[in-house]
Amino acid sequence: MCGRIEVLLSGMQSTLDNLFEQPLTIQDNLDLRPTDPITTLSHRQGKIISSQQRWGIQPDWSKKLIINAQAETVSQKPTFSSAFAQHRCIIPCSGWFEWRQEPTTDLLSLDQELANGADTPPISSQQQKHKYRFSHAGNKPLFMAGVMYPDQQQVVTLTIKPNTKCAQYHHRMPLFIASTQINHWLTQPVDNLSELINPLPEHWIKITDSTQI
């Protein structure tokens, strides 16, 4: 699941200016976390407007914060269906992060094994979480899909079954809307949205090991 988002305006400004008629207020956050304020774009009174929402909701029935909803079933779930029908939004971002457990490499032990004539490095049984940054391969903005709860100034992001490339890191990935489909996503009836519920093509995504960042 997507639990960290990167918003770096400097790399998105020119694209956003070309896409939208009016200036948008977007705040940088290189490590945006649940409950942080997040800039959303929604359609109201014939134009796209920006607003600040807090990431995550906690309904009375839930013991924990809910930050994501499954795009495949969001229209059917009572918690999300009304927001999906009336308050869809997009979240401009420059990337997102996932973690994956991987074997650790002890460099000192590796050097000793090789010095002793080992042909292959020893396999470690210890695991370490590696942090990976996912971004657009062409360094373009990504437009993450979400649903808002305007009365509470809250937002939930949508996830989808990943493409093969992203599936190596997590069993879900964010749902993104192509820039040419933003107006369609924000304004069309729910029944006309199924064609947008698809993962990004693999060649659009660049993955970088950000463990030390």
Side-chain angles (χ1 to χ4, degrees), residues 22-102:
Q22 67 277 2
L24 300 174
T25 302
I26 297 178
Q27 298 180 359
D28 281 356
N29 191 331
L30 301 185
D31 188 31
L32 197 150
R33 303 177 177 214
T35 74
D36 282 353
I38 188 169
T39 301
T40 64
L41 305 181
S42 57
H43 190 270
R44 192 180 306 169
Q45 297 179 344
K47 62 181 181 180
I48 291 177
I49 63 168
S50 61
S51 62
Q52 294 292 311
Q53 312 290 328
R54 291 201 174 273
W55 187 15
I57 62 172
Q58 189 165 1
D60 293 339
W61 55 264
S62 179
K63 295 182 179 180
K64 62 180 182 179
L65 192 73
I66 298 174
I67 62 170
N68 298 317
Q70 294 187 358
E72 300 93 332
T73 59
V74 66
S75 64
Q76 306 162 25
K77 302 294 184 180
T79 301
F80 310 115
S81 58
S82 179
F84 182 67
Q86 302 178 46
H87 301 296
R88 292 185 303 278
C89 66
I90 57 169
I91 298 160
C93 64
S94 48
W96 82 99
F97 298 97
E98 298 288 1
W99 282 258
R100 183 171 69 173
Q101 290 279 3
E102 297 180 2

Side-chain angles (χ1 to χ4, degrees), residues 111-181:
D111 288 342
Q112 291 174 343
E113 290 286 340
L114 293 176
N116 291 333
D119 292 328
T120 57
I123 299 175
S124 173
S125 61
Q126 296 182 342
Q127 298 282 312
Q128 175 186 355
K129 277 190 175 182
H130 278 246
K131 181 181 180 181
Y132 289 92
R133 177 180 182 262
F134 296 72
S135 59
H136 194 291
N139 295 318
K140 297 179 180 180
L142 294 167
F143 298 101
M144 190 177 295
V147 296
M148 297 191 310
Y149 298 78
D151 292 344
Q152 293 78 35
Q153 294 185 308
Q154 296 172 324
V155 65
V156 168
T157 51
L158 301 184
T159 66
I160 193 169
K161 186 177 178 180
N163 58 40
T164 303
K165 187 174 185 178
C166 291
Q168 299 175 56
Y169 300 85
H170 202 278
H171 67 282
R172 303 290 294 177
M173 68 177 289
L175 173 65
F176 292 101
I177 305 300
S179 59
T180 55
Q181 297 292 336

